[in-house]
């Protein structure tokens, strides 16, 4: 599909941009452009894509996203590639997951090629916003929401698909530090048959109170248990978990519908297999976590996701008390997997899986 290009009336001056991307942090330094594609059932579905200036989106107060939360998103990154230009990491997997989320939220799927073309075009357009710093990337946020003005409860007939970018620095300032996590007692993230496997804003809205509780208990993040037995460890608010054991096995909770199928998770499973580890996708209980951490049968716990890559979990806290994992510092596996994944993304480690798309 041909894109309509709308010129920016006043792009950010070079010196202002350079100042903003020198230390961008995460999630606040936005680039100059955006891609917008309208969907209208009455007009045959997806309309002409537009690459234009980043600007506010006019919205009717009855737009159904504001009332019933039909909304999905993706989170991905563009990197500087060692052999020149930029690269994306497994963008087809994001496109496929976006459509899986769309199906769950009764939203229209977008042709994968259109999703990927939108991402490529905006990244190339705003490539100058790539921070030239260690750990720098362009964070890509594709999202879709119901824009139809209608207060009845049914799937909307009009949507907007949008892609924006932000300059992103190292997620963890001052290097990788183990996180301390709080085991939520009163709240769950997802229930069987719910929306836990979809990347939809409502899951995040529901996680904010338990996340605040975690902070109030001196922790960085909240970890959720399963909704039925309150026994099985599922995931953090936005990261999947791996348990690295002394016998050489690695366990990660299975994808049974309540866990978001992370692309970092999937990549780590493949990389661990390659390294000769036995990776088992099976339930892991909170009791087992404590016992194995205390006995030394558990060496490390890793949290993983696009934003933070691979991060060690140092301490787990709950009303029953705290326990630490390994030395409480960054373990060998966390270090090795993090370096390998970051190396792959930047074209410094051989891409045997065809995961890196240069653009
Ligand atoms: C996005 C997300 C992840 C991580 O997925 P990646 O594809 O690895 O970035 C994990 N858990 C939740 C709840 C998420 O929304």
């Amino acid at each position: 599909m041909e894109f309509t290009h709308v010129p920016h009336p006043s792009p950010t001056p070079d010196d202002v941009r350079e100042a903003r991307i020198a230390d961008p942090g995460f999630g606040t330094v936005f680039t100059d452009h955006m891609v917008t594609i309208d969907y209208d059932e009455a007009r045959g579905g997806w309309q002409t894509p537009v690459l234009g200036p980043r600007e506010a989106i006019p919205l009717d107060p009855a737009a159904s996203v504001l009332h019933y939360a039909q909304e999905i998103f993706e989170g991905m990154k563009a990197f500087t590639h060692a052999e020149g230009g930029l690269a994306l990491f497994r963008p087809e997997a994001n496109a496929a997951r976006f459509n899986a989320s769309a199906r769950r939220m009764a939203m229209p799927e977008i042709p994968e090629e259109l999703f990927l073309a939108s991402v490529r075009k905006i990244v190339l357009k705003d490539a100058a916003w790539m921070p030239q710093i260690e750990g720098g990337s362009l964070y890509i946020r594709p999202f879709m929401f119901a824009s139809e003005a209608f207060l009845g409860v049914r799937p909307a007939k009009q949507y907007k698909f949008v892609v924006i970018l932000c300059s992103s620095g190292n997620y963890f300032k001052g290097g990788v530090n183990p996180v301390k996590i709080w085991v939520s007692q009163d709240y769950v993230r997802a229930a069987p048959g719910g929306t836990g496997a979809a990347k939809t804003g409502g899951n995040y809205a529901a996680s904010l109170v338990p996340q605040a509780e975690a902070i109030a208990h001196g922790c960085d993040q909240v970890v959720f248990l399963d909704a039925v037995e309150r026994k099985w460890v599922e995931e953090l608010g936005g990261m999947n978990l791996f348990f690295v054991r002394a016998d050489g096995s690695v366990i990660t909770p299975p994808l049974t519908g309540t866990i978001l199928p992370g692309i970092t998770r999937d990549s780590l499973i493949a990389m661990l297999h390659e390294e000769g580890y036995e990776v088992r996708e099976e339930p892991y209980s909170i009791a087992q976590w404590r016992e194995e951490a205390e006995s030394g049968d558990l060496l490390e716990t890793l949290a993983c996701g696009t934003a933070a890559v691979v991060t060690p979990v140092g301490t787990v806290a709950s009303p029953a008390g705290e326990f630490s994992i390994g030395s409480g510092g960054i373990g060998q596996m966390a270090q090795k997997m993090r370096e390998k994944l970051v190396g792959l993304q930047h074209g410094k480690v051989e891409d045997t899986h065809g995961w890196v798309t240069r653009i």
Side-chain angles (χ1 to χ4, degrees), residues 87-359:
L88 301 170
F89 185 72
R90 304 187 68 184
E92 328 70 38
N94 293 96
R97 185 171 67 186
F98 193 74
N99 281 336
S101 299
R103 289 192 293 275
R104 178 63 185 86
M105 304 308 286
M107 298 167 85
E109 293 183 42
I110 181 165
E112 282 189 18
E113 197 31 61
L114 189 51
F115 178 101
L116 295 170
S118 302
V119 166
R120 276 197 306 272
K121 281 183 195 287
I122 187 167
V123 167
L124 289 174
K125 185 85 185 164
D126 281 338
W129 289 81
M130 175 71 80
Q132 304 298 333
I133 53 174
E134 178 80 32
S137 62
L138 280 176
Y139 182 83
I140 308 163
R141 171 53 60 88
F143 61 104
M144 173 169 42
F145 61 90
S147 52
E148 187 190 0
F150 180 73
L151 291 183
V153 180
R154 58 147 171 80
K157 296 176 193 291
Q158 290 167 352
Y159 296 87
K160 263 186 201 296
F161 170 79
V162 184
V163 188
I164 56 174
L165 299 180
C166 59
S167 302
S168 171
N170 223 329
Y171 195 76
F172 296 106
K173 280 205 169 157
V176 186
N177 287 311
V179 290
K180 181 172 178 183
I181 60 183
W182 173 253
V183 186
S184 184
Q185 307 296 307
D186 299 330
Y187 303 99
V188 294
R189 196 192 78 89
T195 59
K199 225 169 163 68
T200 181
N203 290 340
Y204 278 77
S207 76
L208 297 177
V209 165
Q211 173 65 24
E213 202 178 78
I215 305 261
H217 283 92
C219 295
D220 307 294
Q221 297 262 331
V222 59
V223 60
F224 292 102
L225 302 179
D226 77 287
V228 178
E229 297 180 74
R230 302 283 182 105
K231 172 178 173 186
W232 306 106
V233 183
E234 296 216 310
E235 62 175 318
L236 302 189
M239 285 191 268
N240 297 116
L241 289 169
F242 284 79
F243 304 94
V244 182
R245 299 158 86 228
D247 67 3
S249 66
V250 180
I251 295 178
T252 190
L255 301 178
T256 52
T258 53
I259 290 179
L260 199 288
I263 294 160
T264 318
R265 175 189 181 279
D266 189 70
S267 308
L268 278 187
I269 292 175
M271 286 160 55
L272 287 164
H273 276 148
E274 236 168 37
E275 302 260 339
Y277 292 95
E278 181 203 354
V279 185
R280 300 206 302 269
E281 295 180 63
E282 64 183 38
Y284 192 79
S285 74
I286 181 75
Q288 192 178 1
W289 198 3
R290 173 184 281 270
E291 279 160 27
E292 293 190 349
E294 285 173 350
S295 69
D297 287 338
L298 182 73
L299 299 180
E300 296 177 49
T301 301
L302 317 183
C304 71
T306 296
V309 197
V310 178
T311 299
V313 175
T315 308
V316 181
S318 74
E322 289 187 11
F323 61 93
S324 293
I325 297 150
S327 60
I330 178 160
Q332 274 177 16
M333 181 75 92
Q335 189 80 43
K336 187 159 90 180
M337 287 298 125
R338 188 185 171 81
E339 274 168 19
K340 193 163 174 190
L341 195 52
V342 170
L344 259 167
Q345 291 168 335
H346 289 87
K348 292 177 182 162
V349 168
E350 198 198 344
D351 176 24
T352 53
H353 300 274
W355 282 343
V356 178
T357 303
R358 292 178 66 188
I359 55 173

